[in-house]
Structure formats: C-alpha cells, structure tokens
Amino acid sequence: MGKNKITLNGQSFDDTQIKGGNVFISTSLACDDLAIDTLDTNLDFSGYQRTKFVPKNSSGLLTKSKLLFCVQPSIRILATDPSQFVYGQKVEYYRDNVLFASFYMISINRVNKFVYAISCVSAIGLLENEMHYGGIYTGQTVPSVLSDIMGGIVSYTLDSAFNNVRVYGWLPIGTRRENLQQLLFAEGGSVFKNTNGTLRFAPLKNENENPLADNRVYMGGDVKYHGKITSVSITEHTYTAYSSDKESTLFEGNVLAEQITTPKGSEVSGTIITFNAPMHNLVVSGATILESGANYAVLGASTACKLTGKEYTHTTRVVSKSDSTTTRAVVSAEDNEAVVKDATLVTLVNVESVADRIYSYYKASRTVETGLVVGNERPGSKVSLNDPFGEAATGFIQSMDINISNTLKAISRIVAGFVPTDTGNYYTHSIVITSNRNWTVPEECKGKIRVVLISGGQGGGGGQRGGSSTQVTVSYTSSSLVPIPTSGYGLGLPGKGGAGGTAGHGGRILQATLNVEVGQVLAVQIGTGGAGGAPGTSSGSEGGETKIGSLTSSDGSYSDLGYVDSLTGIQYAAKGKSGLAGGNGSGGVSSVQNDSNIESVSVGNYAYDEDGNRYSPGATLMNETDSSRIRSNYASAVGTEDDLRKGGIVSAFTTAQPGSGAAAGSNGASSTSLGSVTSSGSGTSRIYASATGLGALNGASATKTPRAVTNAKGGTGGYGGGGAGGHGAAIRGAKTGEGVSYIGGSVKGGGTASGGSGSYGGRGGDGLAIIYW
C-alpha cells in the first residue's frame, strides 16, 4: 500500500501518480501575519487501455494448429479529463490513508503530455480573493465581526474565549484575509487548520508540550539569533464622529446604475462609491443612498448628484514596552525598535494585550530550524527537543515545509522560549470617579490600569456690555416738512447688543498606565470647575487639578475635542459654548439724516438664553400708517401777512425715543411719549417754535447666568447686555419774512444712553478620573 494519496473531485491519485510535491503549513505565533498554506504537486493523469490485434485476412482467432491467436497490448492514454477540476474544489492529502490536510484548488497547468501541475491553498487563500468593506466598530462582539468578515465562504469554529470580547476601531476596504488578520492581531486569535479544510480560531495556549525524540530530529539545521531591539511600540487608534468634522465632497456627477450585489448582500440597481477614509453624516442631493457604511455608499441611478460626508476624527497614542534583553523583531524594526503603526483595530481596550504579546514574542531567545520526521505535531504545537547543537529547546512550531515522499520530512521552524500571553481585550471594566475618594484595585485587574485624569473645566468669559447710543445732528434743507433751512437732532443711532462671553476650554487631560496590585488603595482627588468670568472680562478661571498619587492633570493638555471614552462614547473635557449676545437697541438708520430717513427707525432684535427663552426689544411708538417710521409730533408758528409772502415761519418737530435692546432675562425698555414742541406768533413781527427730544433708553442688563456644565467641559460664555436705544429727534426750522422782526425758539436734543451690563460666565464642569482595568 502506498504512503501518499491525493484526492481531487472524487478521484484518487496514489504514489505511482504523484510526481513529487510539497506541503507548506504555518501559523502566526504573534498573530501578526496570516500565511496561506499551500499544496503544490504534479499528478499523472494517464491510464492504460487494452486493444486487440488480429492477423490480416484472418477469418478468426485460431492458428493452423487450432491455438487461440490474440494480441492485447496496453496503450497509454489521458485517462482523466482535466477540465473537470475548477477553482475552489477541495483537494485532500492523505498520509498512510489518514487525512493529513485539505486544500482548495487555485490552478491547474499541463507540464507534459500526461502530467499536470496542481496548485492549492488552504481556506485562508480563498479569503484573499474576496473583498470586505470594513467599517467603524463601536463595541460589536468578535463573533459578529468575524461572521461578517468570513462572509460564509469558509466554515469555521471560534473558541468561546472570544464570545464576549468587543471590537473597537476601523477596518478599511480590503480582502477578507487582510481584515481577518487585523481582527486576529487585535484580539490575539491564532488560526488552526482542521484536516477537513475548515478553520478554528482560538488562543495559543502554553500547555500540552510534546517531547520530540532524537530519532525524529534530523542532523543539521541551524539556530538563529536575531539583532537585539530596545523596545516595541504599538499605536492605538480612536475614531470619533464630531459635528464639527470637516465636510468633503465624495462624489459628484452622473451615476450609471447596474445590477450589483451590495456589501450587505442586497441585489440592487446602483453603483458603489468607495472612500479612502471612514466617513459619517453622508448626504446626497439628486440621487438616493440605497445602502452605506463608513467606507462606501451605494447610489441609485442619477443624471447629476452630489454626495458629501464628514471624515471621522482619527487620534492616536503610542504605547511602548522596553527591555534591554529583548532580542527578537519580526513585525518591523526601526532604530532597534519594533513598531506596529497601522493596526486600526488596536485601541485603548486591547493595546496592552497586543504590546504584551509582541513583547513576549520579540524576546524569545532563538529560532531553531531543523528537519523533523512528521508526526501529529502541527504549527502551533508546543514541543521540546534537542536542537542541532545538542542544547535543549522548548517552543512552538511556527511552520513546516514538507516534501511529499516515502519518508515525510518537514523542515520546521520552532520559536524557542516564546510564552503566549493573554488574548482578547486587556481592559474590560471602567469607572468614572467624580468626587474625592479612595479606590481599591479589584480582583479582575490584570496588573495594570489605564487612568485618564481630567481637571475642572475653565469658566466661561463674562458677557460684554451692550453698546451705547450715538447722538446724531441734522442740518439740511427739507423739501417735505417745511420749505426752510433745518437744524437740530435726528434719531440717535442705537447701540449693538453686547457680545457673549468666550467659551471656556475643557479640563486638561492626562493619560497614563500604572502597575498596580489587587487590593491596592489609590487616593483620587477631583478638581473643581473654574468660576465664570465677571461681566466684561475675557475669560473665566482655570479649573482645579485632578490627581491620583503623584500623577496630576496639570501635566496634561486640553483639546477642543476633549476626550471620548471608547467604551461608552461619552465625550469629556470638551470646549464650552460661546455666550449669547444681547439684543440690539432700536434707533435711527443712518448718521446722515434726510427726508427719507428722518423718521425711519430700525427695530432691535430679540435676545435669547440657552434654554431658548426669548426676550424682546423695548417697544417703540410707531406711526399707525407706516410701520417703518416712528411716531412724530409737529408744531409751527406762521406770520399772517399775505400768507407767508411777507411773513415768517418757524416749525418744530420731535419723535418718540426708540426702545432699547434686550438681554437674557430682561426685555428692553420701551418708549413712553413723544418729545415736546411749542410754538407762538405775534402778528408778523415776532414768531418762535421750540423742540425738545427725548433722551435715549439704557439697554437691558443680563439677569441670567449660564448654567454650570458637567463632564469637565469648559464653561459657557456669559450673556451680552442689551444695546442702548437711540434718542428721539428734535428739529427746528425757520424762515424770515419781510415784516418779521424776531424769529426765535430752541432745540434740545435727546441725550445718549449706555448699553446694559453682560452677565458672569458659566462655571466650568468639575473634573473627573476614568480608570480602566
């Protein structure tokens, strides 16, 4: 009986038909690679066909001596049709009639008349030819993410240790194999290939050591010692959607739809638009979004459309681990530092696990490469042996390169001294501490905690005083009021509402990792929020510092985006809101007065508080027939001789004063009356008229203060004061007649007024501490 057998589409090939071959199987001990196992072999597809030959002109098969005459030679022919073998068919390799491994056909090529070269890959290889559209992950479990990546292409099982492990971060558009590797690297899953071709994802365990007898270890081989590295550094990633993220145009033009299968498996008529970075808040005009994810959108047919979106804010933090005895670097080496930068599923929750795993792998003492007689061990098996130089070594098989022959020899790579670390997320619990207290390290802690210390937020700046009114004088010839030179005071210009106070910045943020012991007590001190600034000041007070032991938030920095908790999505230490301005006062429309605007008035606007309550500008006495003009009061004294031909005329004109501006908590002041005018005449010799305008109204002062905020956020800026109203108009004109000896009177313009006071800024949010373990 032959030693080797290969089955392909139900047909078996034995040692006589197997013309050499190679099997390569491997696993990644650090979960940093996802190698494709291969089977390459040449198979003889020939067979023999018997045929009959009879003598020429013979009438039968008997000779003269009555003996049977028959020649039945065998003819070598192509007995197997190679066209029956197609991509993806299972190929099984048996050793001693026991299934050794299963693969899947990738290609078949004819190398001579009867021999064909077969190239096959493990199930991982099938995933290399299928795309996965990735996405943003905010706590989905490993089983759900793994199912989406595998897409039903390959059967697999998942160790229960990963059932409740949650996934955070981002996966770009890539092959299913690439994104599977990202998931396994982040969570520490190793791939084990079952002999039937299915996959098993499980942690690599430091147990079940298999001793290899010396008679199974070939002479020769080598032991490699790698260049010493000084440290490993792992970059953790955070992706957060903020309303302030910059909007970008992702697609603009015509959409030519075709029948497609979407990334989520729907059959639609559309086109897939892909993005180079994760996007949120997708909006389309002129078309319909049929399906979307962080990396793509499926658009329906359109002659002209525009797709926009906002790119997630991507922040990073580097976690380093160093040891002078670290001697191994496989992922990358820069200046003797092993670096992992682009593993975008590595986040706060698992970065410590990743760092520990990579560190443990790097400091493995040596790699043994030697020939082994193949037994039950496979890549991922823990073995002990005497290396080619007689020194004892214990480690894990990383790969086996096997020639298919009578004696199965595997050139094996064994990483000696490697000890697997915990897999899954390192930090699975968290607590937010908002008041001074002692915190005891719980039993679930694995020896480290991540602390985020955030000081109290800065108070908001005080609101600014509203603007004062401006006096306006008039000197022009009126064509509508009276036909005489006119002088006096026009409607005063109003003051603008005071600006709201500046927003306070959020608390200072410090992140640190501490080595702790279960039961250890840590004193936590929380900083208070800063007080709001006084009215008219530029900023509020700084918040108090938050401390744990010798760590203090004062060594951190603040950011307008604050800090977002990866586990909950809650934002802390964000910048506050700017204060709301006071309302403008009512008043004149121009400093240059003329007939068209001498009575025209601009009405002040509303003021609001943070709850949306509205406060009105003071009422202005408006003309009943023209709502854009202020109510007026007229008086004139006229000489009587020949109806003004030889007499004189004096005219006086006043208006009500406009209302003042509002502020949060207070309406503006309203006008109550018209200005006063008087006139008198005595024949044609003595006439006069006087005008007294009303003074401007002060703007309302803000009587509300913004509420204190929480979560170490910066305080809200104070409310601005209301602007002053403009003063009322007072105008007097006169024209001397031939017989008039005296024309008199007076003009008293309204005085200016001040804007109202702004309010104090809002208090900043109290600080806090977040502890992950």
Side-chain angles (χ1 to χ4, degrees):
M1 179 181 296
K3 291 281 188 179
N4 304 294
K5 182 175 71 174
I6 292 176
T7 64
L8 176 59
N9 196 28
Q11 183 173 341
S12 296
F13 298 83
D14 59 21
D15 280 324
T16 63
Q17 298 164 295
I18 299 172
K19 304 302 181 182
N22 176 267
V23 173
F24 178 80
I25 52 179
S26 69
T27 193
S28 172
L29 303 180
C31 308
D32 60 330
D33 187 22
L34 199 55
I36 299 173
D37 294 352
T38 58
L39 166 65
D40 295 293
T41 184
N42 291 347
L43 299 179
D44 188 341
F45 282 12
S46 67
Y48 291 88
Q49 183 179 48
R50 290 183 175 275
T51 184
K52 292 183 179 180
F53 295 91
V54 297
K56 186 177 180 180
N57 299 322
S58 171
S59 59
L61 295 178
L62 297 179
T63 64
K64 292 182 179 179
S65 59
K66 306 300 183 182
L67 296 176
L68 178 64
F69 179 87
C70 180
V71 178
Q72 291 183 297
S74 294
I75 300 177
R76 191 180 181 193
I77 62 172
L78 189 64
T80 301
D81 179 8
S83 65
Q84 66 180 294
F85 306 125
V86 296
Y87 173 86
Q89 283 180 335
K90 181 179 284 190
V91 179
E92 297 172 318
Y93 170 57
Y94 290 83
R95 176 69 179 184
D96 293 328
N97 219 33
V98 175
L99 183 60
F100 184 89
S102 296
F103 300 87
Y104 300 89
M105 176 172 288
I106 293 297
S107 66
I108 177 170
N109 298 296
R110 193 171 190 172
V111 294
N112 67 33
K113 185 174 182 180
F114 300 112
V115 177
Y116 287 78
I118 309 295
S119 292
C120 309
V121 295
S122 60
I124 297 297
L126 298 180
L127 300 177
E128 180 66 13
N129 297 315
E130 295 280 345
M131 297 302 297
H132 180 250
Y133 281 80
I136 290 287
Y137 300 93
T138 57
Q140 294 86 341
T141 62
V142 168
S144 65
V145 177
L146 179 61
S147 175
D148 181 59
I149 293 175
M150 299 299 286
I153 295 173
V154 177
S155 296
Y156 66 91
T157 58
L158 176 67
D159 192 280
S160 61
F162 295 103
N163 285 352
N164 297 316
V165 176
R166 297 191 174 275
V167 179
Y168 300 88
W170 172 60
L171 282 179
I173 296 175
T175 69
R176 294 185 184 274
R177 172 184 169 233
E178 290 171 338
N179 283 355
L180 174 61
Q181 189 274 326
Q182 287 258 36
L183 177 65
L184 296 177
F185 179 77
E187 305 303 346
S190 293
V191 182
F192 299 90
K193 291 90 172 180
N194 298 318
T195 58
N196 63 359
T198 61
L199 301 175
R200 179 171 63 91
F201 302 109
L204 189 66
K205 297 182 179 180
N206 189 30
E207 57 187 23
N208 300 325
E209 176 183 323
N210 296 325
L212 298 179
D214 289 343
N215 61 2
R216 290 186 55 200
V217 180
Y218 282 79
M219 295 181 65
D222 59 24
V223 177
K224 294 182 179 179
Y225 296 85
H226 298 266
K228 182 178 292 186
I229 64 169
T230 58
S231 64
V232 298
S233 70
I234 314 295
T235 299
E236 69 178 56
H237 302 261
T238 302
Y239 295 86
T240 309
Y242 295 103
S243 59
S244 59
D245 288 335
K246 182 180 178 181
E247 183 175 271
S248 301
T249 297
L250 304 172
F251 176 82
E252 192 169 11
N254 299 335
V255 177
L256 301 177
E258 58 184 355
Q259 201 65 26
I260 61 172
T261 301
T262 69
K264 295 180 181 178
S266 299
E267 299 292 332
V268 301
S269 178
T271 294
I272 299 178
I273 307 298
T274 58
F275 320 138
N276 294 326
M279 309 297 293
H280 63 96
N281 281 52
L282 299 179
V283 176
V284 69
S285 59
T288 301
I289 298 178
L290 304 178
E291 180 181 300
S292 66
N295 299 321
Y296 74 94
V298 180
L299 301 182
S302 171
T303 55
C305 76
K306 182 177 180 179
L307 176 67
T308 62
K310 296 182 177 182
E311 184 174 345
Y312 279 82
T313 295
H314 178 206
T315 56
T316 60
R317 180 176 185 268
V318 176
V319 172
S320 297
K321 191 176 182 71
S322 61
D323 189 311
S324 60
T325 63
T326 303
T327 58
R328 185 180 182 80
V330 176
V331 177
S332 172
E334 298 177 5
D335 297 328
N336 288 334
E337 181 179 50
V339 178
V340 178
K341 292 182 179 179
D342 300 322
T344 51
L345 290 185
V346 175
T347 63
L348 176 152
V349 300
N350 57 24
V351 66
E352 296 291 349
S353 295
V354 173
D356 286 347
R357 182 182 342 118
I358 298 300
Y359 171 76
S360 178
Y361 181 70
Y362 287 173
K363 74 171 188 178
S365 59
R366 61 195 189 278
T367 297
V368 177
E369 292 189 359
T370 188
L372 298 178
V373 176
V374 175
N376 295 324
E377 299 81 15
R378 296 292 182 270
S381 297
K382 184 179 181 182
V383 297
S384 61
L385 73 161
N386 291 320
D387 70 20
F389 304 100
E391 295 183 3
T394 299
F396 288 82
I397 298 177
Q398 187 174 66
S399 64
M400 302 176 75
D401 194 355
I402 305 168
N403 284 322
I404 298 176
S405 61
N406 189 50
T407 299
L408 217 54
K409 176 183 178 181
I411 303 301
S412 302
R413 175 188 289 263
I414 301 165
V415 179
F418 170 58
V419 179
T421 58
D422 287 341
T423 57
N425 293 336
Y426 191 90
Y427 299 120
T428 57
H429 303 80
S430 67
I431 185 174
V432 179
I433 299 175
T434 57
S435 60
N436 295 344
R437 57 167 288 190
N438 290 330
W439 182 75
T440 303
V441 178
E443 292 184 358
E444 301 90 350
C445 182
K446 300 174 183 177
K448 294 179 184 177
I449 59 173
R450 168 76 68 87
V451 297
V452 181
L453 304 181
I454 306 178
S455 69
Q458 180 192 34
Q464 301 299 305
R465 178 177 288 278
S468 299
S469 60
T470 303
Q471 197 170 56
V472 174
T473 59
V474 176
S475 179
Y476 73 103
T477 299
S478 171
S479 60
S480 59
L481 175 61
V482 287
I484 53 179
T486 305
S487 64
Y489 296 90
L491 284 178
L493 298 181
K496 293 184 178 181
T502 57
H505 59 69
R508 289 183 177 272
I509 305 164
L510 176 74
Q511 295 190 59
T513 302
L514 293 177
N515 294 319
V516 294
E517 296 179 355
V518 172
Q520 182 177 345
V521 177
L522 301 175
V524 183
Q525 177 184 311
I526 302 300
T528 57
T537 59
S538 60
S539 60
S541 301
E542 294 289 339
E545 64 179 333
T546 295
K547 296 180 178 181
I548 291 182
S550 61
L551 295 175
T552 173
S553 59
S554 297
D555 293 331
S557 59
Y558 50 79
S559 164
D560 288 349
L561 300 178
Y563 172 80
V564 176
D565 184 349
S566 298
L567 299 183
T568 64
I570 297 175
Q571 183 183 28
Y572 301 96
K575 184 178 181 180
K577 295 180 179 179
S578 297
L580 299 175
N584 297 334
S586 303
V589 297
S590 174
S591 60
V592 179
Q593 301 286 318
N594 54 46
D595 288 348
S596 64
N597 65 24
I598 194 69
E599 299 172 82
S600 296
V601 63
S602 63
V603 177
N605 56 320
Y606 293 103
Y608 295 87
D609 62 23
E610 60 190 322
D611 296 318
N613 298 312
R614 187 174 70 176
Y615 304 93
S616 303
T620 298
L621 297 176
M622 304 297 289
N623 191 311
E624 292 88 344
T625 59
D626 185 351
S627 60
S628 68
R629 301 181 77 81
I630 198 168
R631 192 179 297 177
S632 303
N633 190 12
Y634 297 89
S636 62
V638 182
T640 60
E641 185 179 338
D642 295 332
D643 296 327
L644 305 179
R645 181 174 58 83
K646 292 184 178 181
I649 181 170
V650 178
S651 178
F653 164 76
T654 64
T655 66
Q657 85 271 57
S660 67
S666 301
N667 294 320
S670 299
S671 59
T672 57
S673 63
L674 303 175
S676 63
V677 294
T678 59
S679 66
S680 177
S682 176
T684 60
S685 61
R686 293 178 65 83
I687 57 177
Y688 68 90
S690 297
T692 303
L694 294 176
L697 298 171
N698 290 328
S701 294
T703 58
K704 282 194 167 184
T705 301
R707 293 187 305 272
V709 293
T710 59
N711 292 349
K713 186 177 180 180
T716 305
Y719 297 112
H727 61 72
I731 302 175
R732 173 184 171 275
K735 182 178 182 182
T736 303
E738 294 178 5
V740 177
S741 61
Y742 175 80
I743 295 178
S746 64
V747 176
K748 294 182 180 180
T752 59
S754 299
S757 173
S759 76
Y760 276 83
R763 187 179 183 82
D766 289 342
L768 52 92
I770 307 174
I771 302 177
Y772 302 90
W773 73 93

